[in-house]
Amino acid sequence: LNAVLMLEQLLSSGGGWQDQAHGIIPGFKTVRSAVVTLPVAITRESFNVSEEALKALNSRLILVYTGKTRLAKGILQDVLRRWARSTNEITRTVTRNVALAE
């Protein structure tokens, strides 16, 4: 995991560690980094999912390939610009995410 994170930083993609941690570590989980350290120290909490819930989820998932390359750096810059302008979309999204996290 740390080798992937280092490569991403060397490539200047501007990404973080969350996508890699969720992609490399199998199953349903929450991953966290308590403090900013190098290499990143990640803790995870795994969740058991019933076979019924897994079947229901799999019957609703779809993967769409657009062929469009997007770097985390560009997405992050766009989000930060909208955050700086305090757009209604960003304000509602952050408020909803905080409520969901609680």
Side-chain angles (χ1 to χ4, degrees), residues 78-98:
D78 182 48
V79 169
L80 290 176
R81 274 191 224 97
R82 288 187 286 159
W83 178 257
R85 292 192 308 261
S86 296
T87 64
N88 288 335
E89 176 190 14
I90 292 294
T91 304
R92 278 192 312 268
T93 300
V94 170
T95 301
R96 184 167 182 261
N97 284 347
V98 169

Side-chain angles (χ1 to χ4, degrees), residues 23-67:
I24 291 172
I25 303 168
F28 291 86
K29 70 236 154 244
T30 298
V31 293
R32 291 184 176 90
S33 172
V35 294
V36 178
T37 60
L38 291 176
V40 175
I42 295 172
T43 59
R44 69 177 165 144
E45 180 182 352
S46 295
F47 301 95
N48 292 324
V49 178
S50 71
E51 190 64 33
E52 181 181 334
L54 192 55
K55 284 181 183 178
L57 180 62
N58 282 330
S59 72
R60 291 169 175 81
L61 291 177
I62 185 169
L63 175 65
V64 177
Y65 176 70
T66 64

